[in-house]
Amino acid sequence: MNNRKLAFLLKLFVFILAAMGLVVFALAIPELLHSLIEFYGRTFNEELPLQLLSASAALILYIALFLFWQICTRIGRNRSFCTENADGLRWICRLALFDTALCLLGCLYALAINILHPALILGGLGLMTMGGLIAVAAYTLAYLVTIAEQIQTENELMV
């Protein structure tokens, strides 16, 4: 598989994730939060912070997807091992950790207003686990790209 084909497949993956995120963050989560607030007899003022946290998480997700799109573009141009890719992966790591913290904050807020439903607990734990895994994977890849860039630079200087 050449770099252009790999970049195309990765960009297709980003596009599919973006479409799925749009469905989840624009339709599913707002409806779920609204139903949960109604079920527990809470007011719109108590729902608003959860909706804002959800919108913030969506924004962070799309920033990370944009950074990954840029990495895919550089891979397609045969620049897989460069400082920009390592920096982009480090930013994705930070964004994943921040998104995980927002999820934890949302769960703590739901606990504070006494609407922490078991489904919300499981969903929150799943999201926090995924965020942690993405952060670890992105940081590991950033480290490996940095090492590969150093090796590539040394090989270019020897030739």
Side-chain angles (χ1 to χ4, degrees):
M1 179 181 304
N2 62 21
N3 286 355
R4 287 181 192 249
K5 189 172 183 181
L6 177 62
F8 172 77
L9 291 174
L10 288 172
K11 285 181 177 182
L12 180 64
F13 176 71
V14 169
F15 181 76
I16 291 169
L17 278 178
M20 288 173 50
L22 187 62
V23 170
V24 169
F25 282 106
L27 301 174
I29 291 179
E31 183 59 35
L32 173 73
L33 291 176
H34 186 70
S35 298
L36 200 58
I37 291 293
E38 279 185 348
F39 178 77
Y40 284 101
R42 301 291 183 219
T43 64
F44 175 74
N45 290 337
E46 292 170 315
E47 177 184 357
L48 188 60
L50 290 172
Q51 296 289 2
L52 290 175
L53 281 172
S54 172
S56 299
L59 179 65
I60 291 169
L61 170 73
Y62 284 101
I63 292 170
L65 286 176
F66 175 74
L67 290 171
F68 190 65
W69 184 276
Q70 290 178 325
I71 291 169
C72 295
T73 301
R74 284 189 286 274
I75 289 171
R77 294 180 183 153
N78 204 19
R79 293 187 57 226
S80 300
F81 307 118
C82 63
T83 305
E84 293 88 3
N85 282 355
D87 290 342
L89 287 165
R90 282 188 199 92
W91 271 105
I92 290 171
C93 172
R94 290 180 193 115
L95 291 170
L97 288 175
F98 188 66
D99 225 7
T100 302
L102 281 180
C103 185
L104 177 62
L105 187 63
C107 287
L108 291 175
Y109 177 75
L111 178 66
I113 64 172
N114 200 23
I115 64 163
L116 197 57
H117 190 273
L120 194 58
I121 293 172
L122 289 176
L125 286 174
L127 287 173
M128 287 185 274
T129 301
M130 289 299 297
L133 290 173
I134 290 170
V136 168
Y139 187 78
T140 303
L141 285 172
Y143 175 75
L144 292 174
V145 166
T146 302
I147 297 297
E149 179 191 18
Q150 291 170 354
I151 292 170
Q152 183 179 17
T153 303
E154 288 173 10
N155 286 340
E156 289 172 356
L157 291 175
M158 294 187 96
V159 171

